[in-house]
Amino acid sequence: MDLMHILYGVSFILFGPLIGGIIVGLDRKLTARMQGRVGPPVLQPFYDIGKLFQKERIAVIYSENFWVIAYLIFIVATGMIFFAGGDLLLVIFALTLAHVFLIIGAFSSSSPYAHVGAQRELIQLMAIEPMVILTAVGMYQVTGSFFVIDILAYGGLLIFVLPGVFVGFLYVLTFKLRKSPFDLATSHHAHQELVKGLTTEFAGPTLGIYELAHLYETVMLLGFVYLFFGANPLTGIIAVILVYIIEIFVDNATTRITWQPALISAWIVTIVLGGLNLIGLYLL
Amino acid sequence: MINNDECTIWYQRCFVEFLLLFLIFFPLVLACILLGIRGEKLRDIIVTTGALVIGTGTLYLLIATLGSHATYYLTNTQTVHYILFLLEIGITLFILYLCRKYHQRLVALLVCIQMAILIIFGMGSLTSGHATTEGANLFFDEFSIIMALIIGIIGSLICIYSLGYMRSYHLHHPEISDRRPFFFFLLFLFLSAMFGLVFSNNLVWLFFFWEITTVCSFLLIGYAKTKDAIKNGFLALLLNLLGGITFAGALVYITYTAPSPEYLNLSTLTTAGPDLALLALVPAGLISFAGLTKSAQMPFSSWLIGAMVAPTPVSALLHSSTMVKAGVYVIVRFAPVLEGQFIGMLIALVGGITFFLASCIAITQNNAKKLLAYSTIANLGLVVACAGVGSHEAVWAAILLIIFHAVAKSLLFLCTGTVEHQIGSRDIEEMNGLFVTMPKVATMMLIGMAGMFLAPFGMLISKWATLRAFVDASPPLGILLVLFLALGSGVTVFFWTKWMGKLIGYHEEKKNDEESVNRSEWAVLYIITGLVALVAFTFPLISGTILEPYLISAHNATTESLDKLLFYDDLIIILLMLSLIVVMPLSLYFFRHAWKESYRKVPRYVCGREALSPHSFTGSIGVQKEMGLSNYYLEDIFGELRMLRIGDLCTIALIVLIFAALIGMVV
């Protein structure tokens, strides 16, 4: 890793939430339009988070803060490794670590809603992890490296050789972005059978930190999408925008499903699309 | 005149030879002494000093041999062979006696078959003029040293822990007759046999020690002499005898087909040239099958699950440093022969399937010991998968897995044992809020669990190398292994994290329940916790000084390919993350105070109802409603019986294929 890439990584600390906030702002605007509403201003996510930090500091148990801060730190670290061109496997495992911190944070309050939310978040983690690992393996098979730098330097469009893996990744991206039909653990929408699920007991600044981490995560996940089209920056950015619009559409067009079909379908997609694509790579 | 340097080398050689023999015989002598000691005080002293001597001995061995290559000792020891043979017959008769006593016809039948094969082997080696074995019988290389360290340090720590544990075990279970002298005899005999096993170059010797570990674990599992204990002891014996039979079969095959008796040596067999590849492959297949039974891979997993009826230190010993590790040890030894072979791939698939399905079963377990047992089976599956793939990257991952698993798993078992004695239950649901009642033990458990599955602790590094090795393994079967690994690691996160959540889960203030844990238990727990952290931080050192030289000599790995095992950039990031994880909890103490000042404590949200305690909320007309939280176990999807049935079917099919391939090769 040279200095420039390290700088990219460090700049993510600043640009991550900025870009993430704008994406989420546009998301809310577009969602509102799809639902026939005017929607909030594009900068609303920034106002929201700013407001959360001004709220009263309340907690069920103090250590909640600790876990949520750890979640933020490791999400940022994960993103930095990714944007500095680091090892995809390390990114994936660090991301899991970050989520484990978040889940333990939810567990620590012993709140019934947060507890069920945490269980569901774990099921989601179990549903998506295999496909994310296969994504990295697929990229390794094509480019011969797990490093983001080398994958970007490959030259060809990965989407042509990894179509199954790409579709599989889109499937689990819906979980990661907390979009319907897979927003089981906690949702952006107000209608929730679990109150706010995983985040029920996070309030004020703690919730603000969680929201901030989510912005970072969104940007990093879209970075994964970019890798499939990375040969050409323009196609890459267009692809990311299209993918996100598709996610918004799916979010608004589907209803939440229970964890059983979510888990089983994610694994079937992983095995069928991901597995066959990887085996196909050998036959080509 | 002898040159000075030569003299030093000769001295060093003699010294190391002495050390190897010492490590085998010293625990044996201790075992015999302990058999005759009934006084607790005296036993405490002997076990503790003995364990310390063994631990220091293995460390000394490491230091004395650092930088030297595989070395071979003890040639032409005809009498020892006869003694071993006689002892072998003695063991067989002993088992037959027990079979008669407990009416175990099937086991008796297997013992007789094994005996018959051994006699054929004996006759064969006499008639073919192979009576005098050639070559070295004992040896050490980097891999044996690692195994010796695991046995010598973790194993003897578990012996020390057992002192306190067994005392309270008999207080808790007055109905079980106190046979502690016999218990400690078995523990040290086990250590002795394990040392013998990893230092044996001669397969006949190795087989002898192999059988002793089988018998020891059988007797330890049956320690309580309850109906359950005896049944499960015989189950372990039965399944391990299947492996013993194929192992003996391998010996016969070598005697009747090998051009020279030297091929009974591990070193000669695993480095046999391409023209003799077949000669090595058949024994490798047979002995690896024996390894599968011993390391409790599906379909033989049931014995290790049954083994949890034994006192907890026995489980810790079987799971972390002895028994099952002997199983994977032999398979990893034969990895150079298995590499790129169809049989190797089949064995790898058995391991892969076991990893995935055993992890799935672990989700459904709320019995802590059973969960740990399934997680052991799963991790061993991963090691077997690596050994079956056999490339040097895979073997690198396999050995690291063995190390990390040994320390983390022993810690978890011992913690569970301590918790069980304090709270009177091994149910994970009962461990709610353990962080309040037993803060130190709970922290240790969290560290152990982190060591089992979380980045940047050990397991992750080996999982990562495993992934790379699988992708490069013979396609497209390698992709199947990748799939099993990917699915399995998602599952692993699930069952560990929900257990962590249980420990952390907030409880009302309760009194500390740790005070009555005795000193020897504390000391051992602290040391092993330290070891988990130590291996996490020093694995690059372990890799550089021990693993890489081993791979170069045993697998003909090149230095360039070894450089790819660990990328410098990754290494830095991992170490940074590790430091962060160590620093963060410390910062908690700092922030705690600030948070206490600035945060207002509120009750948890229960739909606007009043919640005065974590276990209740105010219902209508002021009635206090009880409330409890429990984890998901997803039994509809991952039910134990269902998963076992699928796993047994798949792995039996694979094993039939292995034998078909072996028979095809012989014919």
Side-chain angles (χ1 to χ4, degrees):
Chain A
M1 253 179 253
D2 51 17
L3 194 65
M4 205 175 73
H5 282 98
I6 293 177
L7 275 179
Y8 280 147
V10 174
S11 67
F12 173 71
I13 299 176
L14 189 66
F15 289 108
L18 278 182
I19 298 171
I22 291 168
I23 291 174
V24 173
L26 288 171
D27 174 351
R28 288 175 68 173
K29 196 91 188 163
L30 191 59
T31 300
R33 290 293 154 87
M34 281 184 184
Q35 297 170 348
R37 295 182 284 119
V38 181
V42 176
L43 296 180
Q44 189 63 36
F46 298 109
Y47 305 148
D48 285 351
I49 292 175
K51 178 84 184 177
L52 281 173
F53 278 100
Q54 290 164 13
K55 290 219 168 203
E56 189 199 5
R57 301 176 163 226
I58 54 172
V60 171
I61 178 169
Y62 303 126
S63 57
E64 268 178 13
N65 281 306
F66 170 72
W67 301 114
V68 176
I69 289 172
Y71 168 58
L72 175 69
I73 290 176
F74 277 95
I75 285 284
V76 175
T78 310
M80 282 169 71
I81 301 171
F82 183 86
F83 285 98
D87 194 322
L88 270 187
L89 288 179
L90 194 56
V91 168
I92 292 168
F93 292 129
L95 190 64
T96 308
L97 174 68
H99 275 272
V100 167
F101 278 123
L102 175 66
I103 292 165
I104 291 181
F107 269 122
S108 69
S109 64
S110 268
S111 148
Y113 298 103
H115 184 84
V116 179
Q119 304 281 347
R120 288 189 183 179
E121 176 75 2
L122 272 174
I123 291 173
Q124 291 193 8
L125 215 53
M126 178 161 79
I128 56 189
E129 176 121 335
M131 190 61 229
V132 180
I133 291 179
L134 286 197
T135 305
V137 169
M139 290 181 176
Y140 172 77
Q141 264 185 292
V142 177
T143 63
S145 170
F146 279 114
F147 281 82
V148 173
I149 296 186
D150 303 331
I151 293 170
L152 277 180
Y154 171 65
L157 284 180
L158 289 178
I159 177 77
F160 290 131
V161 274
L162 296 171
V165 171
F166 178 69
V167 176
F169 184 77
L170 283 196
Y171 198 83
V172 299
L173 186 65
T174 320
F175 286 87
K176 277 277 178 202
L177 293 176
R178 305 202 182 285
K179 298 269 182 215
S180 182
F182 304 129
D183 50 352
L184 303 165
T186 181
S187 170
H188 297 298
H189 302 298
H191 53 89
Q192 234 323 0
E193 85 271 34
L194 275 182
V195 190
K196 256 303 196 182
L198 187 72
T199 56
T200 303
E201 299 298 344
F202 302 152
T206 317
L207 188 61
I209 292 172
Y210 163 80
E211 292 290 350
L212 194 62
H214 187 65
L215 296 186
Y216 277 111
E217 199 181 348
T218 304
V219 174
M220 192 193 65
L221 290 170
L222 294 177
F224 265 85
V225 176
Y226 181 87
L227 284 185
F228 283 96
F229 304 88
N232 182 342
L234 191 65
T235 50
I237 289 168
I238 293 174
V240 168
I241 293 171
L242 277 178
V243 162
Y244 204 83
I245 291 175
I246 293 172
E247 290 288 349
I248 295 174
F249 179 74
V250 170
D251 186 33
N252 282 293
T254 56
T255 52
R256 181 178 310 127
I257 56 174
T258 53
W259 64 263
Q260 288 96 336
L263 173 67
I264 292 170
S265 69
W267 275 16
I268 289 175
V269 166
T270 305
I271 294 168
V272 175
L273 291 180
L276 286 183
N277 195 163
L278 294 192
I279 290 174
L281 280 179
Y282 278 119
L283 303 178
L284 282 175
Chain B
M1 261 228 16
I2 301 175
N3 177 319
N4 237 353
D5 279 356
E6 273 176 30
C7 208
T8 342
I9 289 172
W10 187 79
Y11 265 125
Q12 201 201 356
R13 202 184 139 80
C14 284
F15 177 69
V16 173
E17 180 173 6
F18 166 74
L19 213 50
L20 296 189
L21 289 173
F22 174 79
L23 284 176
I24 299 172
F25 281 105
F26 181 68
L28 186 66
V29 173
L30 272 185
C32 296
I33 296 173
L34 285 166
L35 196 54
I37 288 175
R38 299 213 66 89
E40 274 190 9
K41 280 252 169 64
L42 191 57
R43 185 189 302 129
D44 285 6
I45 295 169
I46 293 179
V47 168
T48 315
T49 39
L52 285 178
V53 170
I54 295 170
T56 343
T58 45
L59 277 177
Y60 211 85
L61 182 67
L62 171 72
I63 295 163
T65 58
L66 212 58
S68 54
H69 293 296
T71 318
Y72 301 90
Y73 299 101
L74 288 194
T75 44
N76 299 324
T77 43
Q78 190 58 39
T79 30
V80 180
H81 281 269
Y82 291 126
I83 296 172
L84 290 186
F85 200 75
L86 286 177
L87 281 175
E88 191 83 52
I89 289 174
I91 295 172
T92 312
L93 292 177
F94 174 64
I95 297 177
L96 281 177
Y97 161 74
L98 286 177
C99 289
R100 202 185 129 79
K101 190 171 163 193
Y102 294 104
H103 313 292
Q104 297 284 341
R105 292 218 182 96
L106 196 54
V107 178
L109 179 70
L110 290 184
V111 176
C112 291
I113 293 175
Q114 188 184 336
M115 203 58 234
I117 296 176
L118 276 181
I119 289 171
I120 294 173
F121 164 70
M123 308 251 286
S125 58
L126 278 176
T127 51
S128 61
H130 288 187
T132 45
T133 49
E134 286 164 23
N137 293 311
L138 279 188
F139 84 126
F140 76 87
D141 64 2
E142 293 86 352
F143 186 25
S144 346
I145 303 259
I146 288 180
M147 292 302 292
L149 281 171
I150 292 175
I151 301 159
I153 296 175
I154 307 280
S156 40
L157 282 174
I158 293 172
C159 290
I160 298 179
Y161 175 92
S162 309
L163 287 171
Y165 183 91
M166 290 310 285
R167 198 172 300 137
S168 43
Y169 178 81
H170 283 294
L171 283 180
H172 281 79
H173 302 277
E175 74 283 1
I176 292 168
S177 67
D178 187 348
R179 297 188 295 148
R180 272 185 279 168
F182 184 58
F183 182 82
F184 283 95
F185 164 75
L186 286 175
L187 285 193
F188 279 93
L189 181 63
F190 215 139
L191 293 188
S192 163
M194 280 304 292
F195 278 123
L197 201 145
V198 297
F199 291 140
S200 290
N201 186 38
N202 187 324
L203 283 176
V204 184
W205 290 35
L206 205 155
F207 178 66
F208 171 72
F209 291 120
W210 181 272
E211 289 296 291
I212 294 190
T213 59
T214 301
V215 175
C216 275
S217 61
F218 156 65
L219 292 171
L220 281 172
I221 295 167
Y223 174 75
K225 280 203 172 171
T226 57
K227 214 172 156 194
D228 234 16
I230 290 169
K231 193 188 94 194
N232 286 313
F234 274 106
L235 180 66
L237 190 60
L238 180 78
L239 293 178
N240 277 298
L241 275 172
L242 287 176
I245 289 174
T246 59
F247 202 134
L251 296 181
V252 172
Y253 179 83
I254 298 171
T255 329
Y256 283 90
T257 55
S260 104
E262 244 185 87
Y263 283 88
L264 273 174
N265 289 336
L266 207 55
S267 53
T268 324
L269 198 62
T270 50
T271 51
D275 46 326
L276 285 169
L278 191 62
L279 174 68
L281 196 55
V282 174
L286 289 171
I287 294 177
S288 297
F289 173 80
L292 291 180
T293 61
K294 190 149 260 198
S295 56
Q297 296 299 290
M298 284 180 184
F300 311 109
S301 54
S302 52
W303 80 258
L304 195 62
I305 303 301
M308 46 166 227
V309 296
T312 305
V314 174
S315 309
L317 199 66
L318 295 184
H319 286 252
S320 67
S321 52
T322 59
M323 199 59 186
V324 295
K325 290 286 150 71
V328 289
Y329 167 79
V330 289
I331 307 183
V332 175
R333 272 278 173 225
F334 280 101
V337 182
L338 297 173
E339 180 175 4
Q341 299 289 344
F342 182 56
I343 290 188
M345 212 53 217
L346 292 174
I347 290 171
L349 281 176
V350 172
I353 290 174
T354 306
F355 170 66
F356 172 50
L357 292 179
S359 304
C360 288
I361 298 174
I363 290 183
T364 61
Q365 301 305 316
N366 62 338
N367 178 330
K369 272 179 95 173
K370 216 167 162 191
L371 186 151
L372 290 177
Y374 274 115
S375 130
T376 300
I377 294 171
N379 279 300
L380 294 172
L382 211 49
V383 178
V384 169
C386 288
V389 168
S391 64
H392 65 265
E393 292 135 317
V395 170
W396 185 81
I399 299 178
L400 275 183
L401 271 169
I402 292 177
I403 301 172
F404 293 133
H405 179 255
V407 280
K409 194 48 78 57
S410 56
L411 178 63
L412 284 172
F413 261 112
L414 298 184
C415 285
T416 307
T418 303
V419 170
E420 189 185 351
H421 274 179
Q422 297 306 115
I423 68 172
S425 168
R426 51 169 84 150
D427 188 341
I428 291 172
E429 293 296 323
E430 305 270 318
M431 295 185 190
N432 205 357
L434 202 68
F435 210 64
V436 178
T437 50
M438 301 180 77
K440 283 189 248 169
V441 177
T443 311
M444 288 171 184
M445 282 177 106
L446 288 179
I447 292 172
M449 287 181 210
M452 288 302 298
F453 81 105
L454 271 186
F457 284 93
M459 280 309 198
L460 166 99
I461 293 140
S462 23
K463 235 177 223 171
W464 179 3
T466 312
L467 254 184
R468 268 205 305 251
F470 286 172
V471 181
D472 297 332
S474 54
L477 284 177
I479 290 300
L480 273 182
L481 289 177
V482 170
L483 262 179
F484 288 132
L485 181 62
L487 291 169
S489 56
V491 172
T492 315
V493 174
F494 186 87
F495 69 80
W496 287 123
T497 314
K498 72 180 178 164
W499 190 356
M500 283 180 151
K502 259 291 150 202
L503 300 183
I504 292 279
Y506 167 66
H507 225 245
E508 74 264 69
E509 294 297 317
K510 254 186 163 180
K511 72 168 180 46
N512 189 315
D513 199 16
E514 291 186 309
E515 260 106 65
S516 54
V517 178
N518 64 53
R519 284 222 327 264
S520 67
E521 287 185 31
W522 274 132
V524 171
L525 290 178
Y526 274 119
I527 296 174
I528 299 186
T529 310
L531 283 176
V532 174
L534 187 75
V535 291
F537 273 104
T538 58
F539 81 91
L541 207 66
I542 300 174
S543 163
T545 54
I546 308 179
L547 286 185
E548 288 177 14
Y550 171 68
L551 293 174
I552 289 172
S553 62
H555 285 259
N556 301 321
T558 55
T559 5
E560 296 98 71
S561 62
L562 288 177
D563 284 343
K564 280 197 190 150
L565 288 174
L566 277 175
F567 292 101
Y568 178 73
D569 291 344
D570 285 345
L571 204 61
I572 299 293
I573 294 172
I574 289 173
L575 291 179
L576 279 177
M577 280 169 69
L578 262 177
S579 321
L580 199 61
I581 288 196
V582 173
V583 172
M584 277 198 324
L586 296 180
S587 70
L588 187 60
Y589 287 100
F590 173 73
F591 280 121
R592 218 183 156 74
H593 191 66
W595 284 338
K596 250 185 195 153
E597 305 246 300
S598 61
Y599 274 79
R600 184 165 64 89
K601 251 199 173 173
V602 291
R604 54 186 60 65
Y605 177 79
V606 197
C607 277
R609 306 299 308 192
E610 215 179 0
L612 297 172
S613 90
H615 301 297
S616 63
F617 60 91
T618 312
S620 51
I621 50 169
V623 182
Q624 285 297 312
K625 291 275 185 191
E626 293 254 329
M627 160 172 95
L629 300 174
S630 66
N631 279 339
Y632 279 22
Y633 289 95
L634 319 188
E635 269 176 17
D636 292 342
I637 296 183
F638 301 114
E640 186 178 7
L641 285 178
R642 185 180 178 188
M643 291 289 124
L644 278 179
R645 205 175 304 139
I646 297 172
D648 289 351
L649 268 179
C650 296
T651 47
I652 287 174
L654 285 170
I655 285 171
V656 168
L657 271 180
I658 291 176
F659 277 106
L662 284 176
I663 292 170
M665 269 185 261
V666 175
V667 180

